[in-house]
Amino acid sequence: MVSDITFTGERFVPGCAGEIAYEHWHRYAFARQFAAGRRVLDAACGEGYGSALLGTVASSIVGVDIDASAIAHASERYGEGDRVRFVTGTCSALPLPDASVDVVVSFETIEHLDAAEQPKMLAEFARVLNPDGLLVISSPNKRLYSDARGYVNEFHRHELYRDGLAALLAPAFPAQSWYHQRVSPWSAIWSEHPVDGADAWLGDASGVGSYKPSEGMYFVVVAGRSAKAVIPTAPGSLFTDAEDTELKRNEANAREVMRLDALLREHDAALDRQTGHIQHLEAMVAERERIIGDMDRRLQELNAAREERDRQLAERARTIAALESRIAALESRVATLDGEQNRLQASLRASELTVAYRQSARWWVKLPWFRVKLWLDRTR
């Protein structure tokens, strides 16, 4: 069954495969033996798949998570009234009465809190548990989870070493039975027939049941020489080499995947930077085109102004030519008038001389002779 909640890397959701699925499903399958017939709290229940699994054996279970959307999803998908219910709340202030549950389950929660908040969470677990109640809690081993792999989980606020976790638990939970969990590549030999006492589980979101191994790649047979021979049934067997060769190979593969993932993130970051640069260049091109457009419009305006200026200059040139023609005509007229004026002035001077002469005594003396001469000329 696949959850419709997106896996972010912080919380496991049904549908994820591989090591993470083994880790999370196995913890809840392991916890069922302590939850059977009891009132259970699943602290930081997330998507709700684990609460639902524990709810198949518990008398009642309440899942608490700080994420309201996860609680709404879990209530809709897994809720069964008061027997399996989900409530929004924090692990450092649980919305439950004192001594109201028999078992508290808290898987991969404590490392998500700051160091100062972790004791408050454990104190809250102690408060809601009845005096005979149990806490089933898991936490990554900082020495192997982070230190040995050089790994940093961005969602973890304060990881713990074994001594640190033991010391945190001691005040409220002094009785402690420790287990270790590790997903590793083993060589396994198992019987075709179930062996009493074997604890093997097969599970997913639909449920958990006893695991009957399928046919192996190799057969291993223990045989006797007589049909009456009694062949003891051996329990399952696990084997690995002293150097954990296969484990180290898988871890090397995981480191390579992490390295490639880091390269991919760097590549994505480079692409983001390149995309940003391209967007910057596109913005610059758009700005340049806007400026060019403004310049084109300005140039068109200038061309129109120049054409208007040329038209005005041509008009002025025509006006000037007409004025110059008129001036030339006027100058010719003035020259003609000047000539006429000069002629008239000369005639006037001649008239003035004649008048002056005729007004002289000499004229009056000669006048009778001129008249006689004029008469003689006429009579001839």
Side-chain angles (χ1 to χ4, degrees), residues 66-135:
I66 195 172
D67 186 346
S69 62
I71 290 298
H73 167 86
S75 298
E76 180 180 356
R77 186 164 189 171
Y78 304 112
E80 296 181 10
D82 290 336
R83 201 183 72 79
V84 179
R85 61 192 180 93
F86 298 90
V87 181
T88 303
T90 66
C91 290
S92 56
L94 292 168
L96 298 176
D98 295 352
S100 58
V101 297
D102 305 314
V103 178
V104 172
V105 173
S106 175
F107 292 142
E108 303 303 285
T109 306
I110 194 168
E111 68 275 9
H112 292 276
L113 276 65
D114 292 325
E117 293 296 313
Q118 291 175 346
K120 297 178 183 178
M121 183 185 79
L122 294 175
E124 275 294 277
F125 290 167
R127 179 184 67 79
V128 300
L129 274 170
N130 70 47
D132 296 327
L134 295 175
L135 168 64

